[in-house]
Amino acid sequence: MVGPAVKRETVAHLRAVMGLSERRACCIVAVDRTTVRYVAKRQADATLREKLRELANARRRFGYRRLFVLLRQEGERSGKNRIYRLYRGEGLTVRKRRARRRAVGTRATILAEAKPNARWVSGLRA
């Protein structure tokens, strides 16, 4: 499987080197002419990436969903899938909390010494 970008380059190559028409070159490569003429209109991600990084550093416990809400409140119109793609692309993740330290070893019950007139404490109080 070859992507549309490679097919565009192939058509451009055929037209430049062999002097073919666009129609004939597209027919040889088996690509639609509208695909060849397509020009991407994607917005620049640089400012959005910077804003996302800034918010993520300010609020380290926020994931991409909550950052998406904050960006929406600031007027950003991008969808959450795009925010997720940029979030992952920047290598951002929610910081993991450190685990609580556990006691090492097994716990042993304290044995009461059995002797005459010893007081045994029970769960019920009188």
Side-chain angles (χ1 to χ4, degrees):
M1 290 292 283
V2 179
V6 176
K7 289 182 179 182
R8 274 187 216 106
E9 291 172 11
T10 307
V11 168
H13 177 75
L14 286 174
R15 292 187 71 197
V17 173
M18 300 184 74
L20 295 176
S21 68
E22 181 184 270
R23 181 178 287 173
R24 187 172 293 281
C26 288
C27 188
I28 291 170
V29 179
V31 63
D32 198 55
R33 288 168 58 202
T34 56
T35 304
V36 173
R37 293 177 181 171
Y38 177 77
V39 178
K41 297 177 286 252
R42 179 176 274 180
Q43 301 166 353
D45 292 339
T47 56
L48 183 57
R49 282 178 186 266
E50 189 177 321
K51 226 191 274 187
L52 189 63
R53 228 180 300 119
E54 188 179 299
L55 280 173
N57 286 332
R59 295 179 169 85
R60 294 174 178 264
R61 298 297 306 161
F62 282 19
Y64 80 95
R65 287 184 180 104
R66 286 172 74 179
L67 292 175
F68 164 72
V69 171
L70 291 176
L71 286 169
R72 266 291 160 96
Q73 289 171 355
E74 290 181 6
E76 180 59 44
R77 298 188 62 218
S78 297
K80 67 180 155 200
N81 292 336
R82 182 171 187 222
I83 299 298
Y84 177 71
R85 179 174 51 80
L86 295 175
Y87 185 83
R88 298 296 294 169
E90 288 296 310
L92 299 170
T93 53
V94 175
R95 307 301 194 277
K96 299 285 184 190
R97 291 183 192 254
R98 293 190 62 184
R100 288 180 53 207
R101 297 195 61 183
R102 305 261 189 250
V104 179
T106 58
R107 298 190 182 244
T109 57
I110 299 171
L111 298 173
E113 203 175 317
K115 56 185 177 182
N117 298 325
R119 184 165 182 228
W120 291 77
V121 180
S122 66
L124 298 174
R125 294 187 184 240

